[in-house]
Amino acid sequence: MAEPWSSVDDVAEHLGVSKDTVYAWLAKREMPAHRVGRLWKFKISDVDTWVIAGGAAEGGPSD
């Protein structure tokens, strides 16, 4: 079965951060996501890979 798409709320809860943090990561750190109309959609496995690679770390490649 294919992995379902997740919302900003789902990703924020999964990572234990606020929705504002997720939106900041989308703007600054090239977080893996797709825009569907006005909504951002995510694959949790892609987000986990991004976090493990250091994408969410302060002082990371985008800082």
Side-chain angles (χ1 to χ4, degrees), residues 4 8-9 18 32 34 37 39 41 52-53:
V8 170
D9 290 328
S18 71
H34 298 276
L39 303 175
K41 295 296 180 178
I52 291 166

Side-chain angles (χ1 to χ4, degrees), residues 25-52:
W25 286 339
L26 285 166
K28 294 181 183 179
R29 302 185 191 272
E30 301 177 0
M31 186 178 206
H34 298 276
R35 194 99 195 232
V36 179
R38 294 179 18 208
L39 303 175
W40 285 101
K41 295 296 180 178
F42 307 82
K43 294 287 187 174
I44 294 295
S45 61
D46 292 343
V47 172
D48 287 343
T49 300
W50 176 78
V51 170
I52 291 166

Side-chain angles (χ1 to χ4, degrees), residues 2 4 10-11 14 17 20 22 29-30 37 39 46 48 51 60 63:
D10 296 334
V11 170
H14 176 73
V17 299
D20 290 338
V22 174
R29 302 185 191 272
E30 301 177 0
L39 303 175
D46 292 343
D48 287 343
V51 170
D63 282 346

Side-chain angles (χ1 to χ4, degrees), residues 1-19:
M1 187 162 141
E3 179 181 356
W5 290 96
S6 300
S7 68
V8 170
D9 290 328
D10 296 334
V11 170
E13 183 178 335
H14 176 73
L15 297 176
V17 299
S18 71
K19 290 192 304 185

